[in-house]
Amino acid sequence: MPALRERKELRFASGDTTCAAWHYPGTNGGCVIMAGGTAVTKEPASDLFARRFNDAGFAVLAFDHRRFGGSGGAPRQVVRFAEQRADWQAAIECAAKLPDVDPGKIALWGFSLAGGHIFQVAADSPGLACAIAQTPLVDGPAVAPHALRSMTLPALLRLFGRAVADAIGALLGRPPLLVPTAGRRGDVASLTTADAMDGDRALDPDHRHVGWEQTVAARIALKIGGYRPGRHASRIRCPLLVVVCDQDRSALPGPAVKAARNAPNSEVLHLAGRHYAPFLEAHEQAVEAEIAFLVKHL
């Protein structure tokens, strides 16, 4: 994997701290900014796709959101949607200053929660060349009922009890109360859909990412159901590729397809498989389509 040997660590300012990133130098002036969903750090989120994008000539800037991975910010493992979108904007500014990047040839790539962020960030960034949202979470109210049905009642009550205690503790300055990002039905975890546990074998099959903490502050359970970044689709002016998996039981394909229809210059790629299929059995189909999209628009 030569691209991984050539990547360089860097940091860029975002808010009152800095975000950790990998920069893969490119050869064609284009740059793909990448980040993962919920608590997924930059290596498991991007390594598989970043190598292929870089081999195609594109620079890559893969980063950790604030409070996660190598980035700064405290308390840790806390998802704040507005902060994370601000991190994307800071990453765009950073990429535009890289010596191998043409500021007019910047693309965004995110999956799951980060794929949802893409909709609002792209809408707020008219200078982008294009964007890719892979299995994005675009409509919390549409997805939440299915996520709740995937939980047992005792686990649901315990999760929401912990979420409320976490939110109150935050007001009092206490450390976050953490839960696993994924679990099996009956577990007290952020997500227990049928494909939630595919993440390990999809993102870290060789168990190389020993520092990846797969937990999140429980308060996310009180917020995720109201998050609707897909409502910004009509304001996106750059070309948008939305990748959906037809058996996705975590983000669900329907809301993403509906949001894509509202974007003026969008296309939808349907893949067979569940939420993490683009990292597993559908990887070649996904990465080839995404590279073709990047070549066309960058």
Side-chain angles (χ1 to χ4, degrees):
M1 292 167 51
L4 296 184
R5 291 197 295 270
E6 296 169 5
R7 68 186 184 184
K8 303 173 183 178
E9 272 190 288
L10 60 80
R11 302 188 76 86
F12 58 85
S14 186
D16 60 358
T17 188
T18 59
C19 290
W22 288 114
H23 169 220
Y24 301 70
T27 58
N28 62 17
C31 180
V32 186
I33 300 173
M34 308 180 71
T38 313
V40 184
T41 51
K42 59 188 179 297
E43 293 85 7
S46 68
D47 278 3
L48 196 60
F49 283 84
R51 174 173 60 87
R52 298 289 294 274
F53 295 162
N54 194 231
D55 286 346
F58 301 106
V60 172
L61 185 68
F63 73 95
D64 288 328
H65 293 109
R66 264 179 277 182
R67 308 178 191 276
F68 292 91
S71 292
R76 306 297 292 174
Q77 304 303 113
V78 175
V79 172
R80 293 178 178 172
F81 303 138
E83 272 190 357
Q84 293 194 349
R85 293 193 303 269
D87 295 341
W88 281 92
Q89 294 292 352
I92 293 171
E93 294 177 12
C94 174
K97 297 175 183 176
L98 293 173
D100 55 320
V101 174
D102 179 340
K105 294 184 178 181
I106 293 176
L108 306 183
W109 181 99
F111 77 93
S112 200
L113 178 58
H117 292 334
I118 292 293
F119 279 75
Q120 186 166 350
V121 175
D124 293 339
S125 308
L128 288 175
C130 61
I132 299 172
Q134 183 173 285
T135 58
L137 175 64
V138 299
D139 191 339
V143 173
H146 174 76
L148 294 177
R149 287 194 297 270
S150 74
M151 305 184 73
T152 63
L153 182 58
L156 176 62
L157 294 175
R158 290 175 62 195
L159 174 64
F160 274 89
R162 194 167 181 83
V164 170
D166 183 40
I168 293 172
L171 297 175
L172 300 175
R174 295 172 182 165
L177 297 176
L178 305 178
V179 294
T181 52
R184 294 179 174 82
R185 180 175 171 82
D187 291 344
V188 179
S190 177
L191 192 65
T192 59
T193 50
D195 48 5
M197 294 298 288
D198 293 347
D200 269 346
R201 67 186 182 93
L203 305 179
D204 193 16
D206 301 322
H207 306 292
R208 293 186 298 114
H209 306 303
V210 293
W212 175 24
E213 185 175 344
Q214 299 184 55
T215 62
V216 66
R219 69 194 75 166
I220 194 174
L222 304 177
K223 299 178 179 180
I224 198 75
Y227 190 46
R228 302 187 66 196
R231 63 185 176 176
H232 299 278
S234 63
R235 297 194 294 112
I236 299 174
R237 292 294 173 263
C238 69
L240 172 68
L241 175 63
V242 179
V243 180
V244 299
C245 295
D246 290 334
Q247 288 76 46
D248 188 340
R249 308 316 297 158
S250 292
L252 303 183
V257 172
K258 183 178 179 180
R261 291 195 192 109
N262 292 327
N265 188 8
S266 69
E267 55 187 278
V268 176
L269 171 65
H270 284 267
L271 301 175
R274 307 202 299 183
H275 188 63
Y276 290 100
F279 294 89
L280 296 167
E281 70 274 14
H283 178 63
E284 282 303 314
Q285 186 180 355
V287 75
E288 288 176 8
E290 291 174 10
I291 289 173
F293 178 82
L294 293 169
V295 168
K296 178 179 178 180
H297 297 291
L298 296 186

